[in-house]
């Protein structure tokens, strides 16, 4: 048995402390220790993006991060994307556009798209495709996913414009 | 962004209006799936659960001399170790399973090797421990002594008389009969024949004959195989798993574990893709035996991606020879094909389906098709979306394109002359019902994509070309069951048994709502398991929206009959005199809505629930025609997809979004198969590219938007006109792309994948 190390992190706006073996990945900690099974294991070596989380503002594959590296970090998983009420526009648009079939890659896509829109609120179709090239989907051919992300970006821009308008008034 | 409007073409008889069908409603499981709360197989957690891992063969072909598990068992935290010796042999018996057949003896030997390993990655032992890392450490302590044997990795080499033999007891069956007592790798030879091909070729003005090769490819679902099993102290086994076929898996577990089916409950969890690769057991029997041996503790197992690629799926590599002749007026006079498909380690390649697909779009008087099922030292082939179809159509549709070119005819016009229609007999026997092949040809011929000029190349070293190809898929009938509870608030709880792999909760609930004349949101679908709902055949064969849709319709009709009785009781009138129109039940002037009648269940006889089971016999094949524009970089050999349009006869699109989704997904897989995907082996049979970095599936950046034309020629045998839609979209892409590449660079591609090095070889740039 290897030694277990105490780790403290902020996950989905909650302070979490857990014990973790140095060999455990962040993905394993999220899924097996913390019960956050929204991040999926598709390849466990960084090629499919199904386990994507946002860590200290950066999009990462949680299978390539060790659990102990999460110490002091701020992490958002798929479980932390939705606001208290309702869904995030990305989640809403994925449902509206039927941008999922089996749904197992969906959490990774939504987290990755959220990281994109945080940086670039008005991406082109090519920019969406480029950014999402680290997430594999085998069901949809990406067509409806790309449409959902572009539509969610438009919704978020409209919401931001409306909020800015409210402030001016 | 250019949002391309997805097109729908409806034949006159489909213009009938529906209340729910044809709308783009949100799927019932959408919120769970976008928030990460949906429970997939790997998300299962049970009290006292152990973790299982599998030790796999490092050799492609070897005899197992001995296995010593003592050091593994001694490791603290290890609770059970199993090897082939823990499996009682399963019967050498073939039964229908899913769309195909299964031999339980082979299946058992595939999930755990007995005396021989037959491919790199074949399971030889498994361990259950208190955590997955301990289980992995234990695997490293298992000592296996192998006597390495020469492998055979190519279908033609495996067919030679001096080839290494995989299965010493295998004998070739010729047209269903054993014909020789010689050990062989050729499991079977089948033949379809009609007319006289020699005479047909003699009548031809032009004949094209070519040989094609396709590589081994994988289904590539994103969720690896997984299973959690509890073999309880009372003898009952529960398995939570990712499966397309809960009832088939129950039977397979029964045969492998020698436990009656009534002692086994298979609970299908949410499934992360399958495409045919999750129709049979892999980890399920291992997890169950480990659970038994670990003192009835639940054991969870899931595969790593290299295990998925090495030991599950894939579909067959193949060698296909095609010869087709036609007269100057464009009529095909004879067609001949010879197909040899790799089955992997155990018999069962989809060569039979390939034989049925290869000339299916055409009306032929003279044909001869021979097919061979051949074992090689690769993982046992499993169905992959229109199994065997893509290989076959790559060959035949390339030859058809070349014939059209030689005759100076437009490729669509040439196909139209020979197109099969209702009443024509297929090579494999059945006579076509109301198929819509010609309608798909016309849809492409009239599409702005086909009528527009090719775009100019993006650089001087690039060439562009446009290609067309058609495809066929059988579509399966099968059996379905469903149950419903009618609630006092006017909603219907709907329990069905088809694994929802791509939105079928929605497409089935829509058909029930349509039948009942109620709102879609008033139907609450749930997927049951082998213990909670009646028998359902696999989610496969493009059957779910079709066949389980028929069950939903009959369930609705049974609810209507019961509700008429309730209305009759309410008014004290004969039930047969109650009329139903939509959601309204009337006796003369007296009327009551479905919802209001639900509120009166208590006073008209109490709770109401119904169940139905159906065995369907009205499936009609799917036909499709695709057009693609490609750009070939003649310096690097890279092929880019510029534009892609797929027209398909879908019968009736219940939920157009998910029909388009099936087409998008099938086309994307077909593009991957055409351009990049392949298993790469070294000479000793080691799989060299067992990762998703090196097994190169298309990413979002590799594809354009995929345009669809939903041609609706309704199926008269289905209450709403449905035809299966899921599989045929993968059939035409490889041929369409090959034909486009030819128009771009003037070279006929005859091998898959058409990767950069293959293009450069074809151009003579590299040797």
């Amino acid at each position: 048995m290897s030694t277990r190390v105490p780790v403290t992190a902020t996950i989905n706006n909650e302070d979490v402390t857990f014990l973790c073996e140095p060999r455990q990945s962040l993905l394993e900690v999220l899924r097996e220790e913390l019960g956050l099974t929204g991040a999926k294991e598709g390849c466990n070596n960084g090629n499919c993006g199904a386990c994507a989380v946002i860590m200290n503002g950066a999009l990462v594959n949680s299978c390539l991060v060790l659990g102990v590296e999460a110490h002091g970090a701020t992490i958002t998983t798929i479980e932390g994307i939705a606001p208290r009420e309702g869904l995030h526009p990305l989640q809403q648009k994925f449902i509206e556009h039927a941008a999922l079939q089996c749904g197992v890659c969906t959490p990774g896509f939504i987290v990755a798209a959220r990281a994109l829109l945080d940086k670039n609120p008005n991406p082109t179709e090519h920019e969406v495709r480029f950014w999402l090239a680290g997430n594999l989907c085998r069901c949809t051919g990406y067509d409806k996913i790309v449409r959902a992300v572009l539509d969610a970006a438009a919704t978020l821009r409209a919401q931001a414009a409306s909020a800015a308008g409210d402030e001016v008034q | 962004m250019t949002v391309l409007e997805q097109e729908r073409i409806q034949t006159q008889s489909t213009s009938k209006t529906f209340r729910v069908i044809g709308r783009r409603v949100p799927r019932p499981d959408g919120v769970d799936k976008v928030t990460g709360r949906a429970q997939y197989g790997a998300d299962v957690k049970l009290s006292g659960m152990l973790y299982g891992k599998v030790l796999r063969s490092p050799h492609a072909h070897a005899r197992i001399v001995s296995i010593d598990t003592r050091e593994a068992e001694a490791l603290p935290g290890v609770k059970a170790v199993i090897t082939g010796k823990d499996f009682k042999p399963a019967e050498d018996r073939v039964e229908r399973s899913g769309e195909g057949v299964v031999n339980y003896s082979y299946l058992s030997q595939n999930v755990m090797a007995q005396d021989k390993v037959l491919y790199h990655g074949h399971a030889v032992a498994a361990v259950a421990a208190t955590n997955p890392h301990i289980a992995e450490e234990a695997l490293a302590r298992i000592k296996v002594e192998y006597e390495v044997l020469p492998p055979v990795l190519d279908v033609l080499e495996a067919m030679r008389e001096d080839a290494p033999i995989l299965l010493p007891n295998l004998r070739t069956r010729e047209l269903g009969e054993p014909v020789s007592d010689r050990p062989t790798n050729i499991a079977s030879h089948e033949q379809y024949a009609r007319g006289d091909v020699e005479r047909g070729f003699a009548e031809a003005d032009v004949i094209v004959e070519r040989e094609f090769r396709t590589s081994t490819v994988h289904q590539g679902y994103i969720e690896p195989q997984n299973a959690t099993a509890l073999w309880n102290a009372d003898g009952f086994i529960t398995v939570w798993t990712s499966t397309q076929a809960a009832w088939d898996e129950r039977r397979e577990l029964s045969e492998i574990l020698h436990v009656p089916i009534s002692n086994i409950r298979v609970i299908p969890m949410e499934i992360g893709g399958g495409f045919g690769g999750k129709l049979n057991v892999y980890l399920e029997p291992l997890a169950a035996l480990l659970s038994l041996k670990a003192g009835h503790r639940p054991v969870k197992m899931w595969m790593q991606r290299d295990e998925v690629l090495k030991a599950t799926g894939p579909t067959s590599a193949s060698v296909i020879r095609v010869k087709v002749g036609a007269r100057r007026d464009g009529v095909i006079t004879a067609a001949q094909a010879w197909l040899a498909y790799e089955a992997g380690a155990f018999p069962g390649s989809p060569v039979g389906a390939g034989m049925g697909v290869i000339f299916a779009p055409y009306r032929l008087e003279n044909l001869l098709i021979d097919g061979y099922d051949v074992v090689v030292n690769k993982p046992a082939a499993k169905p992959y979306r229109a199994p065997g179809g893509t290989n076959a159509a790559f060959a035949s549709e390339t030859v058809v394109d070349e014939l059209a070119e030689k005759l100076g005819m437009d490729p669509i016009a040439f196909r139209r002359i020979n197109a099969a229609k209702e009443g024509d007999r297929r090579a494999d026997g059945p006579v076509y019902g109301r198929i819509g092949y010609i309608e798909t040809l016309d849809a492409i011929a009239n599409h702005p994509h086909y009528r527009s000029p090719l775009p100019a190349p993006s650089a001087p070293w690039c060439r562009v070309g446009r290609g067309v190809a058609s495809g066929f898929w059988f579509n399966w009938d099968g059996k379905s069951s469903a149950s419903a509870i009618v609630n006092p608030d006017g909603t219907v709880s709907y329990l069905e048994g088809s694994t929802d792999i791509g939105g079928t909760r929605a497409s089935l609930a829509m058909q029930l709502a349509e039948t009942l004349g109620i709102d879609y949101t008033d139907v609450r679908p749930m997927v049951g398991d082998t213990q909670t709902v009646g028998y359902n055949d696999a989610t496969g064969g493009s059957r779910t929206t079709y066949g389980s849709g028929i069950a939903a319709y009959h369930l609705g009709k049974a609810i209507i009959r019961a509700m008429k009785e309730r209305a009759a009781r309410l008014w004290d009138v004969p039930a047969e005199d109650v009329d139903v129109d939509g959601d309204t039940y009337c006796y003369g002037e007296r009327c009551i809505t479905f919802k209001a009648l639900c509120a009166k269940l208590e006073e008209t006889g109490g709770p109401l629930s119904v169940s139905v089971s159906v065995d369907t016999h009205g499936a009609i094949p799917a036909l499709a025609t695709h057009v693609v524009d490609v750009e070939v970089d003649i310096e690097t050999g890279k092929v880019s997809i510029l534009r892609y349009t797929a027209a398909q006869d879908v019968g009736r699109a219940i939920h157009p979004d998910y029909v388009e989704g099936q087409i998008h997904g099938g086309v994307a897989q077909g593009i991957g198969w055409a351009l990049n995907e392949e298993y790469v082996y070294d000479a000793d049979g080691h799989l060299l590219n067992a990762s998703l970095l090196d097994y190169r599936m298309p990413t979002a950046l590799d594809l354009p938007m995929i345009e669809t034309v939903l041609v609706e020629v309704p199926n008269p045998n289905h209450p709403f006109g449905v035809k299966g839609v899921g599989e045929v979209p993968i059939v035409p892409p490889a041929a369409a792309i090959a034909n486009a590449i030819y128009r771009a660079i003037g070279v006929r591609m005859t091998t898959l994948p058409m990767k950069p090095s293959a293009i450069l070889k074809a151009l003579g740039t590299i040797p």
Side-chain angles (χ1 to χ4, degrees):
Chain A
M1 273 299 221
S2 59
T3 324
R4 285 159 74 86
V5 182
V7 175
T8 299
T10 305
I11 300 180
N12 301 332
N13 291 319
E14 279 177 24
D15 292 336
V16 176
T17 301
F18 53 88
L19 285 171
C20 164
E21 291 182 35
R23 63 186 173 184
Q24 286 185 292
S25 69
L26 175 58
L27 175 63
E28 184 183 340
V29 170
L30 290 173
R31 291 182 52 81
E32 301 297 329
E33 310 292 334
L34 302 176
L36 294 170
T37 54
K40 300 301 179 195
E41 183 182 313
C43 69
N44 213 14
N45 55 10
N47 293 323
C48 79
C51 65
V53 300
I54 298 171
M55 183 169 167
N56 296 331
L59 177 65
V60 299
N61 287 320
S62 62
C63 71
L64 296 184
V65 176
L66 290 171
V68 292
E69 292 181 278
H71 191 63
T74 301
I75 292 165
T76 304
T77 71
I78 184 65
E79 289 90 348
I81 296 288
R84 275 183 62 90
E85 303 293 326
L87 298 172
H88 186 276
L90 276 164
Q91 295 171 315
Q92 196 66 50
K93 294 300 177 187
F94 265 65
I95 297 174
E96 267 177 39
H97 285 266
L100 58 146
Q101 287 180 33
C102 81
V104 82
C105 70
T106 308
F109 269 95
I110 288 176
V111 168
R114 159 78 190 276
L116 167 66
L117 301 186
D118 284 350
K119 287 182 208 315
N120 178 0
N122 192 11
T124 62
E125 181 190 327
H126 181 79
E127 284 168 339
V128 170
R129 288 185 179 279
F130 187 85
W131 183 271
L132 294 180
N135 293 76
L136 292 174
C137 169
R138 192 62 157 171
C139 295
T140 66
Y142 307 100
D143 184 300
K144 291 181 188 291
I145 292 176
V146 174
R147 290 171 202 270
V149 172
L150 290 168
D151 197 8
T155 301
L156 285 163
R157 288 197 304 277
Q159 283 176 1
S162 150
D166 289 347
E167 269 173 40
V168 172
Q169 282 166 4
Chain B
M1 168 182 82
T2 35
V3 173
L4 301 157
E5 280 307 312
Q6 309 288 334
E7 201 180 335
R8 288 173 76 186
I9 296 174
Q10 302 189 325
T11 60
Q12 231 171 8
S13 54
T14 65
S15 53
K16 163 178 174 188
T17 53
F18 291 105
R19 180 190 164 88
V20 177
I21 284 169
R23 287 174 49 209
R24 297 172 190 259
V25 293
R27 62 192 285 168
D29 51 336
V31 172
D32 281 346
K33 284 183 176 161
V34 299
T35 54
R37 292 208 182 81
Q39 291 284 301
Y40 291 81
D43 303 334
V44 170
K45 198 155 194 179
L46 300 171
S47 173
M49 191 173 83
L50 302 171
Y51 293 83
K53 291 271 182 190
V54 178
L55 182 69
R56 297 185 181 278
S57 166
H59 306 295
H61 195 190
R63 197 173 312 286
I64 298 172
V65 178
S66 65
I67 304 180
D68 182 348
T69 59
R70 283 169 300 180
E71 277 189 38
E73 283 157 13
L75 187 68
V78 170
K79 301 297 176 187
V81 181
I82 57 169
T83 68
K85 290 195 166 44
D86 292 279
F87 288 78
K88 210 168 119 189
E91 258 188 75
D92 185 7
R93 192 173 86 248
V94 176
E95 273 186 9
R96 190 191 63 75
S97 167
E99 244 185 313
V101 295
V102 62
N103 175 311
Y104 295 114
S105 170
Y106 290 150
L107 186 69
S108 178
Q109 293 174 61
N110 190 41
V111 300
M112 185 64 81
Q114 291 294 327
D115 51 340
K116 268 178 98 179
V117 291
L118 295 168
Y119 55 92
H120 180 209
H122 199 161
V124 293
V127 173
T130 50
N131 80 42
H133 302 281
I134 295 174
E136 212 158 54
E137 282 174 27
L139 295 185
R141 293 170 175 231
I142 296 174
K143 294 192 185 80
V144 186
E145 195 189 328
Y146 294 99
E147 178 198 338
V148 178
L149 303 168
V152 58
L153 298 157
D154 174 86
V155 63
L156 295 185
E157 282 172 31
M159 292 174 85
R160 289 164 56 118
E161 290 207 2
D162 58 351
I165 294 295
L166 272 76
L167 304 166
N169 298 325
L170 185 66
R171 301 291 180 271
T172 305
R173 294 178 77 85
E174 286 268 356
L175 310 182
E177 301 297 326
V179 286
S180 137
D181 201 36
R182 196 172 57 81
T184 177
N185 294 319
I186 303 172
S188 69
H189 167 216
E190 301 291 338
Q191 186 177 75
Y192 296 145
R194 180 190 306 155
D196 179 347
V197 285
E198 290 313 318
R199 201 188 64 216
F201 285 123
E203 286 170 12
D205 295 307
V206 185
I207 293 171
V208 174
E209 185 171 9
R210 284 190 181 274
E211 179 176 293
F212 299 84
R213 277 180 173 262
T214 72
S215 294
T216 307
V217 297
H218 197 269
Q219 292 82 350
Y221 35 80
I222 303 302
E223 176 206 37
Q225 261 82 1
N226 57 72
T228 304
L230 172 62
W231 191 318
N232 225 337
D234 58 12
F236 286 87
I237 301 170
T238 307
V239 177
W240 296 259
T241 184
S242 171
T243 179
Q244 298 173 244
W247 282 263
D248 288 334
E249 291 208 354
R250 180 179 66 169
R251 202 161 40 135
E252 292 171 1
L253 283 164
S254 166
E255 294 284 338
I256 292 171
L257 301 173
H258 303 275
V259 169
I261 57 166
S262 51
N263 281 31
I264 302 170
R265 178 180 181 187
V266 176
I267 301 178
M269 303 299 291
E270 295 299 337
I271 183 170
F275 314 108
K278 292 180 182 165
L279 291 164
N280 302 102
V281 294
Y282 290 99
L283 296 175
E284 292 85 343
L286 279 56
L289 271 183
L290 285 168
S291 173
L292 175 67
K293 231 178 162 179
H296 309 292
R297 288 177 69 172
V299 176
K300 175 158 96 172
M301 307 179 80
W302 70 93
M303 288 194 193
Q304 294 300 297
R305 180 53 61 172
D306 68 311
E307 298 180 273
V308 172
L309 289 163
K310 283 176 190 161
T312 76
T315 194
S316 306
S318 56
V319 173
I320 302 175
R321 297 171 190 140
V322 172
K323 180 179 177 186
V324 184
R327 291 199 310 252
R328 233 170 249 112
D329 62 2
V331 173
I332 295 174
T333 55
Q336 188 172 355
W338 183 97
L339 307 89
Y341 277 39
E342 293 178 2
F346 300 100
S349 80
V351 68
M355 293 164 66
V357 167
I358 195 153
F359 298 127
Y362 307 108
R363 189 180 57 249
L364 297 169
E365 280 176 28
N366 304 303
L367 64 85
L368 183 61
I369 304 170
D370 288 280
Y372 295 84
D373 183 34
V374 183
V375 294
V376 298
N377 291 110
K378 294 182 182 178
K382 297 290 174 180
Y384 175 23
R385 197 172 210 149
T390 304
N391 322 36
F394 170 59
S396 57
E397 286 294 285
T398 301
V399 166
V400 163
D401 189 73
E402 192 170 350
L403 270 174
E405 182 211 357
K406 289 212 150 84
L407 291 165
M409 298 182 76
D410 171 85
I412 292 180
F414 178 66
R415 285 177 172 83
R416 213 178 182 291
I417 290 170
N418 297 288
K421 55 182 188 306
E422 185 171 7
D424 290 332
R425 187 176 288 282
R426 286 164 22 195
D428 56 327
V431 172
Y432 275 121
R434 183 66 179 93
I435 52 167
Y437 177 42
I438 289 173
E439 288 83 348
T440 69
L441 289 169
D442 291 346
I444 291 298
N446 297 322
H447 195 275
H449 178 175
Y450 196 66
R451 299 171 75 91
S452 65
L454 268 170
S458 63
W461 52 86
C462 290
R463 306 285 180 270
V464 294
R466 174 171 295 162
V468 172
S470 295
F472 157 93
W473 187 248
F474 305 86
N475 288 343
W476 181 34
D477 269 297
K479 296 171 272 297
S480 288
S481 304
S483 308
I485 303 164
V486 180
N487 299 307
D489 64 357
T491 61
V492 175
S493 304
Y494 165 40
L495 188 66
E496 43 107 351
S498 291
T499 303
D500 183 352
I501 209 161
T504 51
R505 280 183 183 87
S507 67
L508 296 176
M510 290 171 80
Q511 293 181 72
L512 180 54
E514 188 72 50
T515 308
L516 292 172
I518 65 176
D519 288 347
Y520 163 70
T521 48
D522 283 337
V523 175
R524 310 285 162 78
M526 265 176 54
V527 179
D529 62 60
T530 60
Q531 207 86 326
T532 60
V533 66
Y535 179 91
N536 278 266
D537 271 320
T539 291
S542 303
R543 70 169 300 275
T544 303
T545 297
Y546 161 81
S548 294
I550 293 175
Y553 172 78
H554 286 289
L555 185 68
K557 289 294 182 195
I559 294 171
I560 290 170
R561 281 196 298 278
M563 292 297 271
K564 278 170 77 168
E565 281 172 22
R566 298 308 179 98
R569 227 181 269 190
L570 189 67
W571 297 324
D572 198 18
V573 300
E576 59 269 25
D577 293 343
V578 175
D579 294 320
V580 187
D581 183 21
D583 73 336
T584 308
Y585 294 70
C586 293
Y587 175 77
E589 296 296 300
R590 267 183 291 186
C591 287
I592 187 166
T593 63
F594 182 85
K595 196 161 247 180
L597 193 51
C598 287
K600 300 205 179 288
L601 286 177
E602 194 57 39
E603 59 195 84
T604 55
L608 174 57
S609 61
V610 296
S611 296
V612 300
S613 292
V614 298
D615 188 359
T616 67
H617 297 282
I620 288 185
L623 284 121
T625 301
H626 294 189
V627 56
V628 59
D629 295 353
V630 304
E631 180 169 83
V632 184
D633 181 326
I634 58 170
E635 291 198 347
T636 64
K638 183 176 189 293
V639 176
S640 302
I641 306 295
L642 301 179
R643 187 171 181 183
Y644 203 107
T645 304
Q648 183 175 324
D649 171 23
V650 302
R652 168 120 45 219
I654 298 294
H655 192 309
D657 273 335
Y658 289 105
V659 176
E660 290 157 12
Q662 289 297 315
I663 297 175
H664 292 158
V667 167
Q669 288 181 318
I671 290 172
W673 195 336
L675 296 179
N676 291 106
E677 296 179 31
E678 65 176 324
Y679 271 35
V680 181
Y681 284 95
D682 69 15
D684 298 323
H686 300 115
L687 183 61
L688 299 179
N689 61 334
S691 81
L692 291 180
L693 185 65
D694 299 317
Y695 183 83
R696 180 67 169 77
M697 308 199 299
T699 71
L701 200 52
D702 298 317
L703 301 173
M705 293 295 185
I706 295 156
E707 295 166 70
T708 60
V709 185
L710 307 185
V711 178
E712 297 189 290
V713 179
N715 176 356
N717 310 322
H718 186 281
F720 303 114
V722 172
K723 291 174 183 166
V725 300
E727 286 169 290
V728 78
I730 201 174
V731 178
I737 293 167
N739 294 338
I741 290 171
Y742 170 74
R743 307 284 159 169
I745 62 172
V747 182
R748 288 281 171 195
M749 299 301 296
T750 55
T751 59
L752 294 184
M754 298 176 282
K755 55 190 175 179
S757 60
I759 297 284
L760 292 181
K761 269 182 204 165
L763 285 168
T765 312
I766 58 172

